[in-house]
Amino acid sequence: MSQTTPSNFPWEQRRLPRTVPRDGDHRDSFQRDKARVLHSAAFRRLQAKTQVLGVGLSDFYRTRLTHSLEAAQIGSGITAQLQSKYPELTAALNLDPNLIETLCLAHDIGHPPFGHGGEVALHYMMHNDGGYEGNGQTFRIVTQLEPYTAHHGMNLCRRSILGLIKYPNFIDTLTNPAVYGPTDGALRGIKASQWHPPKGLFRCDAEMFDWLLEPLTHSDRDAFMQFANPAQAHRRTRFKSFDCTIMELADDIAYGIHDLEDAIVMDMVNKDRFMAQVVKPLGELEVPGLSENIATLAAKLFSEHQYERKNAIGALVNVFITAIRIDETEYFELELLRYQARLPRSFELALGLFKQFVYQQVICQSQVQVLEYRGQQIIMALFEAYSSDPQRLLPENTRKRWQQAEQQNNGQRIIADYISGMTDEFASRHYSTLFVPKHGGYKRDQMKVV
């Protein structure tokens, strides 16, 4: 095939060429990338970061780590389905299960402690210094911060990095300042609804983004970075790579269906509301294989028998996985951008009902919002303290990075890197150490540099 063949050299190229081959290592590029994600500190920290409910409230429900593992399993299922439905096209696209698992495992590693409360807090503190957003931080971790290499992070191959780019433009370009609230009040008065970040990359990482897109034609690059420009919201990018669309579908299914299980088990939702907000509108959508069975599945979801709930969860996941198709767009020359994995419209609306139900009935509950607000305050207080005297308060290796970055007036980004890498517990403990006198000093294991 031509330059647009996704399996050719540029898309398996790494920023730092591999110079020391290992005897007997027969893994391909995507198997190596999956191993680098799995063995990274950023991935391990997901075990102690909030998914929906705060870490530590129960030993049952999902963390960012278990969510990512479930997304990876769903991603594998989507890959197998698409390979069965479109054998010639997926072969030409070089669709690979290890690649999709890598993307699903890594998609959340940039998210800070305390979920979206932490993200809002970091973005507010960084809004004059390039902003903060979890997907942009993921890009930064895999390309620069994770110490697999000295300066190029995990040094993943170009196609893996492309698959992680959910929003291919920069925060400063995508920002609509009219969305933001006032900045002259106390930190405790910051309203999260007024400080959600635009979804994109950090301008300071433009060099790596330029390298990533080098194989694209000028027209493909321009089209890939296009965005919608709504009047009352931040601008939002329009396109993703083929691999990224699979990862995002896996993420959405895991969130909408698997996270629902947590809410049911924790008695945060009841059957009557589920029937009114999901089952009834699903029946009106006439979704094949779902609308006619949703009442039966709802009974199993709210059954006192755990195995029935598991059976219903599995059936719902299967309905969405098997419905996914590959569509072709007219905007791109490169196959990796021209083809997109998508749900048919009725299934997309159905999954949206599940996601909206989880959002309204779980995330918007006061007990969850109190935890998000608490995390938001912890993050802002830590950021304010570190910014006031970074030479004094930052750990040694972070302080060195701050000193180097400060020469380019980018020291605040290093503080954001440091805080975003914390787990919920580490951030809470560090807050107590700084601001609660009775907490006392550090123990040696608490001084471990993140």
Side-chain angles (χ1 to χ4, degrees):
M1 299 178 80
S2 66
Q3 166 265 338
T4 57
T5 304
S7 59
N8 70 357
F9 175 70
W11 297 105
E12 294 195 19
Q13 188 179 29
R14 302 179 189 276
R15 189 71 173 86
L16 182 66
R18 193 170 184 228
T19 56
V20 185
R22 293 171 180 163
D23 292 342
D25 186 355
H26 300 294
R27 296 175 299 169
D28 62 29
S29 296
F30 303 136
Q31 289 172 317
R32 292 191 180 97
D33 285 356
K34 180 180 174 182
R36 293 179 188 189
V37 170
L38 277 170
H39 295 293
S40 67
F43 180 71
R44 290 195 299 275
R45 290 190 188 107
L46 295 178
Q47 67 186 303
K49 289 192 177 186
T50 294
Q51 168 63 10
V52 172
L53 304 173
V55 173
L57 293 180
S58 168
D59 60 0
F60 169 80
Y61 53 73
R62 289 157 173 86
T63 64
R64 289 273 179 191
L65 180 67
T66 57
H67 163 77
S68 298
L69 292 171
E70 287 174 336
Q73 186 272 329
I74 293 171
S76 293
I78 295 172
T79 301
Q81 282 290 327
L82 295 180
Q83 288 174 328
S84 175
K85 288 181 180 178
Y86 308 92
E88 294 183 2
L89 178 57
T90 53
L93 290 168
N94 194 25
L95 177 60
D96 186 279
N98 285 300
L99 167 63
I100 301 303
E101 285 189 29
T102 298
L103 303 183
C104 293
L105 292 170
H107 80 280
D108 265 354
I109 60 174
H111 280 258
F114 307 114
H116 291 294
E119 184 178 54
V120 165
L122 281 175
H123 181 59
Y124 176 80
M125 302 305 287
M126 287 291 293
H127 72 273
N128 287 327
D129 297 284
Y132 179 89
E133 197 270 331
N135 297 284
Q137 190 69 16
T138 294
F139 179 77
R140 189 166 169 80
I141 288 170
V142 300
T143 60
Q144 295 181 60
L145 300 181
E146 184 65 32
Y148 186 90
T149 62
H151 304 293
H152 300 297
M154 296 183 195
N155 196 34
L156 304 181
C157 71
R158 197 180 245 123
R159 180 164 175 176
S160 293
I161 300 172
L162 182 70
L164 286 169
I165 304 293
K166 295 173 71 172
Y167 309 103
N169 210 314
F170 298 101
I171 283 180
D172 56 358
T173 299
L174 300 171
T175 296
N176 179 357
V179 175
Y180 292 145
T183 60
D184 54 355
L187 294 182
R188 291 190 177 180
I190 301 303
K191 293 184 178 180
S193 61
Q194 297 176 334
W195 287 98
H196 288 294
K199 296 181 180 296
L201 306 175
F202 309 140
R203 180 65 65 176
C204 60
D205 299 329
E207 180 181 353
M208 189 63 195
F209 187 60
D210 288 340
W211 172 83
L212 175 67
L213 300 189
E214 275 180 8
L216 299 184
T217 63
H218 290 299
S219 60
D220 271 5
R221 178 182 171 123
D222 290 344
F224 189 49
M225 296 178 68
Q226 284 183 8
F227 53 83
N229 191 13
Q232 303 300 320
H234 290 303
R235 303 170 187 106
R236 190 176 181 93
T237 57
R238 298 178 58 199
F239 299 110
K240 300 171 176 64
S241 71
F242 171 66
D243 304 320
C244 187
T245 60
I246 297 176
M247 175 265 282
E248 189 164 48
L249 285 168
D251 184 24
D252 286 348
I253 293 170
Y255 169 72
I257 306 301
H258 282 298
D259 288 1
L260 172 64
E261 181 182 11
D262 283 353
I264 293 172
V265 173
M266 298 294 291
D267 289 327
M268 298 185 73
V269 299
N270 61 56
K271 186 177 179 180
D272 289 342
R273 288 182 178 175
F274 185 78
M275 296 295 290
Q277 297 180 27
V278 178
V279 174
K280 186 175 183 295
L282 260 181
E284 297 170 356
L285 284 175
E286 298 183 354
V287 183
L290 182 58
S291 294
E292 65 269 29
N293 297 319
I294 188 60
T296 301
L297 292 174
K300 290 183 177 180
L301 283 172
F302 289 88
S303 169
E304 62 182 14
H305 301 297
Q306 185 175 355
Y307 67 87
E308 289 194 340
R309 185 171 59 251
K310 289 292 185 184
N311 179 274
I313 292 291
L316 287 169
V317 170
N318 182 69
V319 164
F320 288 109
I321 288 178
T322 54
I324 294 171
R325 68 190 187 203
I326 298 177
D327 289 345
E328 184 176 5
T329 68
E330 60 185 16
Y331 299 101
F332 301 100
E333 299 174 41
L334 182 74
E335 285 98 330
L336 279 179
L337 302 182
R338 192 163 72 237
Y339 291 100
Q340 308 272 284
R342 290 176 178 163
L343 281 167
R345 181 59 177 165
S346 62
F347 286 88
E348 183 181 7
L349 293 171
L351 183 56
L353 290 172
F354 284 94
K355 291 168 59 182
Q356 189 67 12
F357 183 77
V358 171
Y359 177 77
Q360 292 178 343
Q361 300 300 320
V362 181
I363 294 176
C364 290
Q365 281 199 19
S366 60
Q367 67 188 91
V368 174
Q369 288 303 306
V370 165
L371 290 174
E372 279 203 6
Y373 178 81
R374 174 181 176 272
Q376 177 182 322
Q377 295 304 311
I378 289 173
I379 295 303
M380 290 192 294
L382 289 177
F383 197 103
E384 189 175 46
Y386 295 137
S387 299
S388 70
D389 199 346
Q391 300 268 32
R392 180 185 183 191
L393 297 177
L394 291 175
E396 182 179 1
N397 69 334
T398 306
R399 184 168 65 247
K400 290 179 180 178
R401 290 183 57 237
W402 178 87
Q403 290 168 341
Q404 294 170 353
E406 189 64 9
Q407 295 175 10
Q408 284 80 42
N409 296 314
N410 200 32
Q412 299 294 80
R413 179 61 62 194
I414 305 306
I415 296 174
D417 289 341
Y418 178 54
I419 294 175
S420 71
M422 294 179 177
T423 62
D424 293 17
E425 173 59 26
F426 186 91
S428 297
R429 193 167 65 229
H430 206 165
Y431 175 89
S432 296
T433 301
L434 283 172
F435 300 113
V436 182
K438 66 179 181 180
H439 188 74
Y442 279 118
K443 295 179 181 179
R444 177 171 293 273
D445 66 341
Q446 293 175 331
M447 296 178 68
K448 180 74 172 175
V449 174
V450 177

